[in-house]
Amino acid sequence: MDNTKRYERLRDRYRNGDLDRRTFLGLIGAAGLAYGLHTPFARGALAATEQVRFDGWGGVVSEAFRQHAFDPYTQKTGINVVDGTFGGGDEYLSRVKASQPGEYNIAHLSGVFDYARYHGLGLTTTLNEDNIPNLQYVIPKLVDVFRKVTDGTLSCVPYDYGTTGLAYNRKHISDEEVKEKGARILLDERFKGKIGGWADWRTRIWYASLQTDQDPNGATDMDAIWEVLRTHRDGLLKYWSSGAELMSLLAEEEIYVTEAWSGRVYALQEQGHDIGYMDPPNGFGWQECLFVIKGSPMEACEELLNFMLAPETSIAVAEGQNYPPALDPTKVDLGAKIPTLPAFDPTGKLDGLTFADPVYWNGNEQEWSKMFGRIQKGY
């Protein structure tokens, strides 16, 4: 029996419920198989690579990656995945810029915005897409925006998407009130001292644009933006800086309302917390990618990316981290849970999400991040 047939039989047993996910992924690793295809690498070609470093957002996201992707990948290839975490894109980029080539390999980056920044700094690579056959299952719109930045090539693969919407405690705030006030509920005097906010200048200015009735990808009255940011700051309990902190603040009822990442709110709801979630009009849609940094062992990284994009792996990770995968739902059966996640688009077109324009945001980064930093400190 060849490997492909063996894999197909394992897959049928998994889909029929004869194997649980952990056992299925373990058997894939033991058999040395990739989804529906033979691995294009000879083991000897990867033998010189002992480990690949991966950095992501921590918390439930890292747990999902570790359980459903990294451990099975190591079992399959013998290459260890060392995973680190970061609280924000700016902080991580500073670390990469100060590192030696090859020290950091793959990063779970947010949006085309970060991709363009890394490209501008000469940190992109060129993936050999023949080594990533599972890229064929990804939503085309998510891939095309990256190709435009790097002249048709890719330095990453899209992996998931979600939204940064409004999260609120239903003991204190009703669904109707959030629907009526939209983004302005983050400025409501009634909740002063019980409001949270992500310490990310882009998110802050995006929401200030909504609160001043401006296009988040084309605000023209920046004086109004800065004034609203000060009003928001004065009502805050604190700026939060990680997903784990966000979840703790909401779960412990230290804050009643904040903008929040859709998957983290879903995780709180799964834990039994009565936290509501709503994407206001022109709410912040984003996609995340697995980005390979210049100086990395390319074949080992491409092998890991292909493994992570395999539908069974990708679906398992998505169910663990509560963000829809980048897989095209018109090409891949995504199962029962994923269609219930916030932001999921069954058409695979993603026309209902508003993404950040990388040219607009990159062009204003230096000035606006500096200004937000001053406001954050009380000026």
Side-chain angles (χ1 to χ4, degrees):
M1 183 187 303
D2 62 27
N3 282 342
T4 298
K5 189 175 293 294
R6 185 178 295 110
Y7 171 77
E8 288 173 348
R9 290 189 177 183
L10 283 173
R11 182 183 58 186
D12 289 342
R13 290 179 62 194
Y14 169 66
R15 287 179 170 170
N16 291 334
D18 296 334
L19 295 174
D20 60 30
R21 182 178 295 111
R22 176 180 287 276
T23 303
F24 170 71
L25 291 173
L27 288 172
I28 291 177
L33 301 172
Y35 177 77
L37 295 164
H38 296 288
T39 176
F41 309 108
R43 184 169 294 278
L46 299 175
T49 302
E50 296 181 353
Q51 69 177 39
V52 172
R53 180 180 172 109
F54 181 97
D55 290 272
W57 297 89
V60 295
V61 176
S62 284
E63 291 169 11
F65 278 129
R66 170 53 62 191
Q67 179 179 357
H68 301 298
F70 300 156
D71 287 345
Y73 169 80
T74 298
Q75 189 176 7
K76 173 190 172 190
T77 64
I79 298 173
N80 190 35
V81 180
V82 177
D83 52 330
T85 62
F86 52 78
D90 294 345
E91 167 215 331
Y92 181 67
L93 179 56
S94 297
R95 277 197 260 159
V96 172
K97 288 164 66 177
S99 69
Q100 295 297 314
E103 185 176 345
Y104 292 94
N105 303 139
I106 300 178
H108 192 195
L109 296 184
S110 182
V112 185
F113 172 85
D114 274 338
Y115 186 81
R117 283 204 297 175
Y118 278 69
H119 182 58
L121 292 168
L123 294 169
T124 42
T125 55
T126 300
L127 297 176
N128 181 349
E129 296 178 35
D130 289 340
N131 291 339
I132 314 173
N134 288 324
L135 188 60
Q136 67 181 297
Y137 301 114
V138 174
I139 294 171
K141 183 176 181 178
L142 295 179
V143 180
D144 293 343
V145 291
F146 292 116
R147 292 195 190 281
K148 290 179 182 177
V149 176
T150 41
D151 297 326
T153 66
L154 290 175
S155 186
C156 76
V157 296
Y159 203 63
D160 53 56
Y161 64 93
T163 55
T164 302
L166 297 168
Y168 50 96
N169 188 313
R170 287 196 176 101
K171 290 181 184 175
H172 305 280
I173 305 173
S174 69
D175 296 339
E176 291 72 22
E177 184 173 6
V178 176
K179 187 175 181 180
E180 175 192 346
K181 296 179 178 176
R184 290 192 179 87
I185 198 163
L186 297 173
L187 308 174
D188 197 315
E189 279 278 334
R190 189 157 67 90
F191 305 118
K192 189 170 184 177
K194 289 292 185 181
I195 300 171
W198 186 17
D200 171 73
W201 66 271
R202 288 178 299 274
T203 302
R204 295 269 55 81
I205 293 174
W206 187 287
Y207 265 83
S209 299
L210 301 184
Q211 290 155 349
T212 56
D213 296 322
Q214 299 190 70
D215 178 358
N217 276 321
T220 55
D221 187 352
M222 292 309 296
D223 287 339
I225 296 284
W226 307 136
E227 190 58 32
V228 162
L229 287 181
R230 292 187 179 94
T231 301
H232 177 255
R233 177 202 62 201
D234 292 344
L236 282 184
L237 173 69
K238 66 180 299 187
Y239 290 108
W240 48 266
S241 59
S242 70
E245 186 179 19
L246 161 67
M247 292 178 69
S248 175
L249 288 168
L250 284 169
E252 299 298 326
E253 298 188 27
E254 291 186 70
I255 59 174
Y256 296 161
V257 64
T258 179
E259 80 282 337
W261 305 326
S262 54
R264 299 301 177 119
V265 175
Y266 191 93
L268 286 169
Q269 292 168 342
E270 281 189 314
Q271 294 168 13
H273 299 284
D274 192 11
I275 305 296
Y277 182 80
M278 189 194 84
D279 286 310
N282 271 330
F284 200 159
W286 42 260
Q287 62 162 307
E288 294 183 318
C289 67
L290 306 179
F291 176 82
V292 180
I293 300 169
K294 186 177 181 180
S296 298
M298 293 304 294
E299 288 191 353
C301 291
E302 289 158 357
E303 177 82 337
L304 178 56
L305 297 185
N306 190 57
F307 187 88
M308 294 182 74
L309 281 178
E312 272 72 15
T313 309
S314 189
I315 290 169
V317 171
E319 291 181 349
Q321 68 166 349
N322 296 316
Y323 292 111
L327 302 180
D328 190 335
T330 66
K331 298 178 181 175
V332 179
D333 180 359
L334 297 179
K337 178 178 177 178
I338 288 170
T340 70
L341 298 177
F344 173 71
D345 181 356
T347 71
K349 296 179 179 177
L350 306 179
D351 291 337
L353 301 182
T354 304
F355 294 101
D357 177 352
V359 175
Y360 171 75
W361 290 96
N362 279 332
N364 291 295
E365 176 187 3
Q366 188 170 6
E367 177 187 352
W368 290 358
S369 61
K370 183 178 179 180
M371 186 63 181
F372 171 65
R374 288 177 53 80
I375 292 172
Q376 188 178 20
K377 293 172 183 172
Y379 294 100

